[in-house]
């Protein structure tokens, strides 16, 4: 590596690159003083030397300790400079190394200070899919830092990242989606994404056959749908309901959670409440009421609760078998789940047919029990549900037989 001959340097760096495939050799190359010499080669005027040195450093930077060593030895500036190399292989190897270095929290700010963002964003438009993947991955790592993520958006990363969501290379799509997901932490970034047209392509990725891509897409749609009514409408307009409902049956729990929470968000809209039921979401949502995953249970019961607010859905929800699990959840130890269940029961109880079925399914005793809750809102909803149920003469008898009279009388003295 100290040779004055470019060819000798290239050959040596290439040999070290090949040897660095093992962890043991990665450590030895650094221990024997290889880093300063490789970093010096990055400044060579010979593109072959640059490529071999950057490639070897890319390999060495896989190790956590080397991520810091490379920076301490002054490797950042020349690596960032080579991102703009006219030689695509040099730019690619440098980008790979920077991608690895950007994993380290200490290096993120240093890379920003070295002005790495503009050339990384430019590489998103490379003709080489591998370079695009590495650039998107490097930006993904940097976007973990919220302040840098904001600067990335200001520097114009969104349009090329959104364009890459339609790439034929699944790794490019995955890294681009992951980068966008990291950027959604800030509401201002979400607003810019929607303005730049992210909703259509990200909704399309819900249908991807790649679970990693599905997960990223579902997480982004979830975040966007929680922001405002306009985004909720846009997700539905772009065809998001059907794939989200399909993903409720995914074997990947994270995908299930993101999809179910998104449907919960969308169900806050009156028009969507009918559409969710019409598109066949109820069987899967009702199935999730039995889940051992509290997040899934909560999102599913809130979605059903919201859908039950629409009179067009009242009978259908009960016909699909929602009553038994909803009644069981009235006894849940989770206050949010219990509260949503009792509100759903109250909504469903406004229908005369449902009033009969609620009593038949054993819904009266747990509702009576909730009259003694320490939560006034829970008491209110249980009382309302029983009031509607009591419109049926047979249920009037059941409410009294199941002990409803004493707590109801006690509530007459309530200060609420």
């Amino acid at each position: 590596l100290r040779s004055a001959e470019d060819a000798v340097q290239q050959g040596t760096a290439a040999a070290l690159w090949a040897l660095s495939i093992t962890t043991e050799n990665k450590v030895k190359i650094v221990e024997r003083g290889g880093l300063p010499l490789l970093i010096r080669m990055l400044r060579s005027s010979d593109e072959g030397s640059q490529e071999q040195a950057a490639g070897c450093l890319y390999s060495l930077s896989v190790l956590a300790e080397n991520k810091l060593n490379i920076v301490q030895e002054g490797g950042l500036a020349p690596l960032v400079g080579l991102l703009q190399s006219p030689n695509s292989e040099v730019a690619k190897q440098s980008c790979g190394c920077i991608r690895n270095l950007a994993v380290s929290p200490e290096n993120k700010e240093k890379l920003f200070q070295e002005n790495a963002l503009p050339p990384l964003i430019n590489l998103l438009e490379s003709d080489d899919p591998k370079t695009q993947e590495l650039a998107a991955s490097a930006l993904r790592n940097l976007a973990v830092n919220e302040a840098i993520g904001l600067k990335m958006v200001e520097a114009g990363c969104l349009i090329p990242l959104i364009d890459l969501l339609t790439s034929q290379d699944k790794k490019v799509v995955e890294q681009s989606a992951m980068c966008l997901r990291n950027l959604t932490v800030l509401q201002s970034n979400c607003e810019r994404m929607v303005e730049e047209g992210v909703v259509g392509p990200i909704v399309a990725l819900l249908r991807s056959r790649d679970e990693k891509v599905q997960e990223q897409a579902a997480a982004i749609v979830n975040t966007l749908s929680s922001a405002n009514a306009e985004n909720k409408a846009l997700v539905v307009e772009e065809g998001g309901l059907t794939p989200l409902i399909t993903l409720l049956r995914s074997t990947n729990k994270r995908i299930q959670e993101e999809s179910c929470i998104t449907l919960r968000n969308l169900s806050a809209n009156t028009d969507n409440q009918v559409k969710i039921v019409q598109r066949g979401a109820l069987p899967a949502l009702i199935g999730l009421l039995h889940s051992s995953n509290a997040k899934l249970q909560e999102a599913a019961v809130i979605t059903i609760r919201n859908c039950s607010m629409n009179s067009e859905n009242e009978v259908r929800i009960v016909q699909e078998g929602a009553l038994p699990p909803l009644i069981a959840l009235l006894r849940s130890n989770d206050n949010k789940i219990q509260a949503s269940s009792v509100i759903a029961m109250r909504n469903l109880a406004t229908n005369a047919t449902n009033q009969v079925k609620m009593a038949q399914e054993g819904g009266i005793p747990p509702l009576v029990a909730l009259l003694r809750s320490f939560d006034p809102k829970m008491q209110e909803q249980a009382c309302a549900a029983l009031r509607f149920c009591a419109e049926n003469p047979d249920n009037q008898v059941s409410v009294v037989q199941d002990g409803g009279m004493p707590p109801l009388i006690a509530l007459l003295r309530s200060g609420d």
Side-chain angles (χ1 to χ4, degrees):
L1 292 177
R2 295 185 176 89
S3 171
E5 297 292 327
D6 288 337
V8 174
Q9 283 189 336
Q10 281 184 46
T12 305
L16 289 174
W17 186 359
L19 290 170
S20 69
I21 192 170
T22 69
T23 300
E24 182 182 3
N25 287 344
K26 283 180 173 67
V27 174
K28 286 183 178 179
I29 290 168
V30 174
E31 287 178 345
R32 303 291 171 85
L35 277 187
L37 299 174
L38 288 166
I39 290 168
R40 186 179 69 181
M41 281 181 67
L42 295 175
R43 295 187 171 90
S44 168
S45 59
D46 181 76
E47 290 181 347
S49 297
Q50 292 173 344
E51 179 187 344
Q52 299 303 323
C56 189
L57 288 168
Y58 177 12
S59 178
L60 295 176
S61 64
V62 169
L63 292 185
E65 58 267 33
N66 288 348
K67 289 176 173 62
L68 299 178
N69 292 332
I70 290 169
V71 174
Q72 288 169 353
E73 292 289 348
L76 273 191
L79 283 166
V80 171
L82 292 178
L83 292 175
Q84 302 174 76
S85 171
N87 184 308
S88 60
E89 286 301 313
V90 172
K92 177 164 66 177
Q93 300 306 325
S94 301
C95 188
C97 186
I98 285 173
R99 187 275 305 269
N100 290 346
L101 298 180
V103 170
S104 168
E106 298 93 330
N107 292 341
K108 295 183 199 300
E109 187 63 35
K110 292 176 182 177
L111 281 164
F112 174 70
Q113 291 170 352
E114 288 290 347
N115 204 30
L117 293 185
L120 284 172
I121 292 170
N122 286 338
L123 288 177
L124 294 174
E125 300 184 77
S126 167
D127 293 329
D128 176 48
K130 184 62 180 179
T131 302
Q132 291 176 327
E133 176 200 337
L134 292 171
S137 183
L139 290 167
R140 178 202 81 189
N141 291 337
L142 290 171
V144 171
N145 181 306
E146 290 183 17
I148 294 176
L150 186 60
K151 295 295 183 182
M152 283 169 54
V153 172
E154 291 173 357
C157 73
L158 289 183
I159 291 177
L161 282 170
I162 292 169
D163 286 344
L164 290 179
L165 295 178
T166 55
S167 169
Q168 297 303 305
D169 188 300
K170 68 177 184 179
K171 289 185 178 179
V172 171
V173 174
E174 180 188 337
Q175 294 302 322
S176 301
M178 290 177 79
C179 185
L180 288 167
R181 180 182 181 179
N182 288 346
L183 292 173
T184 60
V185 172
L186 292 179
Q187 181 59 35
S188 61
N189 290 345
C190 292
E191 292 169 2
R192 289 285 298 276
M193 282 184 202
V194 174
E195 289 171 5
E196 299 294 355
V198 75
V199 176
I202 209 69
V203 164
L205 290 180
L206 294 173
R207 293 183 168 89
S208 170
R209 294 181 180 179
D210 187 315
E211 279 196 356
K212 291 180 180 178
V213 172
Q214 282 181 338
E215 182 182 339
Q216 303 308 318
I220 293 169
V221 174
N222 176 12
T223 302
L224 296 179
S225 69
S226 68
N228 53 55
E230 290 78 8
N231 287 358
K232 290 177 175 63
L234 194 52
V235 169
V236 175
E237 286 171 15
E238 293 289 351
L241 276 185
T242 299
L244 284 167
I245 291 168
T246 299
L247 292 178
L248 292 177
R249 294 183 171 87
S250 172
T251 55
N252 183 312
K253 292 300 180 187
R254 288 188 293 273
I255 292 174
Q256 268 192 322
E257 282 181 18
E258 299 289 357
S259 302
C260 197
I261 293 170
T262 303
L263 285 170
R264 177 203 69 188
N265 298 341
L266 298 178
S267 68
N269 176 286
T270 304
D271 291 336
N272 291 344
Q273 290 163 4
V274 176
K275 290 176 182 176
I276 288 169
V277 173
Q278 288 176 340
R279 302 288 172 85
L282 284 178
L285 287 169
I286 292 168
L288 292 176
L289 296 179
H290 299 281
S291 173
S292 58
N293 181 323
K295 270 189 178 180
L296 274 173
Q297 249 190 357
E298 180 185 334
V301 75
I302 292 174
T303 306
I304 290 172
R305 178 201 74 188
N306 290 346
C307 290
S308 71
M309 294 170 67
N310 195 300
S311 58
E312 292 184 46
N313 295 333
E314 290 171 355
V315 174
R316 181 81 175 272
I317 290 172
V318 173
Q319 286 175 340
E320 294 283 358
L323 279 184
L326 282 173
I327 291 168
L329 292 178
L330 292 175
R331 297 183 173 92
S332 172
N333 293 322
D334 186 305
N335 286 339
K336 289 183 180 178
I337 291 173
Q338 193 179 45
S340 291
S341 301
V342 72
I343 293 171
M345 292 286 287
R346 179 207 65 188
N347 295 340
L348 296 174
T350 60
N351 178 278
T353 304
N354 292 346
Q355 293 164 4
V356 175
K357 291 184 178 178
M358 280 185 182
Q360 291 172 343
E361 295 288 352
I364 302 297
L367 286 171
V368 168
L370 287 177
L371 295 176
R372 294 185 172 89
S373 169
F374 293 109
D375 183 344
K377 291 183 179 178
M378 203 82 75
Q379 290 176 325
E380 179 187 348
Q381 299 303 327
C383 194
L386 288 169
R387 181 193 75 191
F388 290 125
C389 285
E391 291 175 358
N392 181 286
D394 292 335
N395 289 351
Q396 294 169 6
V397 176
S398 297
V399 170
V400 174
Q401 288 179 340
D402 288 324
M405 195 63 75
L408 283 169
I409 292 171
L411 289 176
L412 291 175
R413 301 184 182 91
S414 170
D416 191 327

